[in-house]
Amino acid sequence: MLYVIGLGLSDETDISVKGLEAVKSCTRVYLEAYTSILMVDKGKLEAFYGKQVIVADREMVESESDKILEGAQEVNVAFLVVGDPYGATTHTDLVIRARELEIPVSVIHNASIMNAIGACGLQLYNFGQTISIVFFTETWRPDSFYERIKENRNLGLHTLCLLDIKVKEQSIENMARGRKIYEPPRYMTIQTAVEQLLEIEENRQENAYTPDTLAIGCARIGTATQQIVSGTLEELRHVDFGGPLHSLVLVGSRMHFLEAEFVKAYAVDKASFEKIAERDYHVKQ
């Protein structure tokens, strides 16, 4: 059996009872370590599970999946995913590969940013398409997600922005030369995401959002150091959200008054928030 097990968002104790029992039954346990990060190192996982944990980087998962699946017809193998197993398409690929090899698959779900983002006070069914924002480079400044934001805004829906992480990435030069030298990990901050969003709007001038658009910055959701701050995009540029992981929500144009009341508690400036909510979002306080 291949078990694909969600670990939740915080630490080793977030795994479900069902997930923990599955892990304890496994001969090999892999931890996917590039689409997200857990707030503890693998040593704590190993102590809690009573099992050795093998860190699976992008190269192993995407190019050497046979190593993970080897022998899974005869023994149990666990593939651990931060958040929920289906939070990244890579894990779907692994399940498809297992099925092709006639390996039984059991998926054990857990909390992910896709549902835990409700902690910010916006109702989950009022969210539209989720987007990802990647780091700009000198020669690559992608804005393909801009149309998704516009579509959400036209429907009055909120947009969850997942921010880029770079783990075990090679520079272009090292990649070209075939050198296995990796860059230090980088995690996009809310400040960087806002700056990139505003640059795109300035270039496109299609009014998908403005510096006065209400947004919510969320850091380390589901952990003891969780931080949520609401305000305009311009205001959030100046907030220190601390360490990773960060997410950003662009508030939809049809914010419900109960959502506004909840979100106001996190506002940088409550009076300013109320004014903008009434003026631009038609929310009566």
Side-chain angles (χ1 to χ4, degrees), residues 45-232:
L45 298 183
E46 290 175 332
F48 191 70
Y49 301 156
K51 292 281 184 177
Q52 179 186 5
V53 174
I54 304 165
V55 174
D57 60 18
R58 182 187 296 272
E59 184 177 351
M60 173 180 281
V61 177
E62 295 185 350
S63 305
E64 304 173 17
S65 61
D66 287 347
K67 287 186 178 180
I68 297 172
L69 299 174
E70 184 178 359
Q73 295 93 338
E74 289 81 34
V75 298
N76 289 340
V77 176
F79 185 73
L80 310 180
V81 180
V82 178
D84 187 77
Y86 287 134
T89 54
T90 297
H91 313 134
T92 304
D93 293 342
L94 185 66
V95 170
I96 291 172
R97 177 65 178 145
R99 288 173 178 167
E100 290 173 348
L101 296 173
E102 299 185 348
I103 296 170
V105 177
S106 177
V107 176
I108 301 175
H109 296 280
N110 210 319
S112 77
I113 191 62
M114 300 291 285
N115 53 33
I117 198 63
C120 75
L122 299 178
Q123 296 164 5
L124 291 179
Y125 52 76
N126 289 337
F127 278 78
Q129 302 166 90
T130 297
I131 67 162
S132 296
I133 302 176
V134 301
F135 282 110
F136 280 175
T137 69
E138 292 183 2
T139 57
W140 189 54
R141 307 178 92 75
D143 64 357
S144 58
F145 55 76
Y146 186 84
E147 294 300 325
R148 307 289 82 75
I149 295 175
K150 283 178 59 181
E151 290 166 2
N152 286 347
R153 295 284 291 178
N154 288 339
L155 294 171
L157 300 175
H158 314 308
T159 302
L160 170 60
C161 308
L162 303 178
L163 309 189
D164 200 8
I165 70 173
K166 299 288 188 186
V167 178
K168 205 174 181 182
E169 297 275 341
Q170 292 174 278
S171 67
I172 294 175
E173 179 183 355
N174 286 330
M175 189 180 299
R177 294 177 181 274
R179 296 186 297 213
K180 298 288 186 178
I181 301 174
Y182 301 99
E183 301 292 297
R186 289 194 298 151
Y187 306 96
M188 183 180 287
T189 64
I190 290 163
Q191 181 181 28
T192 297
V194 170
E195 290 172 352
Q196 291 188 184
L197 283 169
L198 293 178
E199 178 181 321
I200 291 170
E201 178 57 48
E202 186 175 352
N203 292 336
R204 304 235 349 197
Q205 296 286 308
E206 297 176 37
N207 206 37
Y209 47 83
T210 72
D212 284 336
T213 293
L214 290 179
I216 308 169
C218 301
R220 301 171 303 282
I221 293 296
T223 74
T225 63
Q226 172 177 296
Q227 184 178 2
I228 302 173
V229 181
S230 62
T232 65

Side-chain angles (χ1 to χ4, degrees), residues 241-256:
F241 284 90
L245 292 168
H246 293 187
S247 301
L248 178 69
V249 178
L250 302 178
V251 177
S253 59
R254 293 191 306 184
M255 182 168 49
H256 190 273

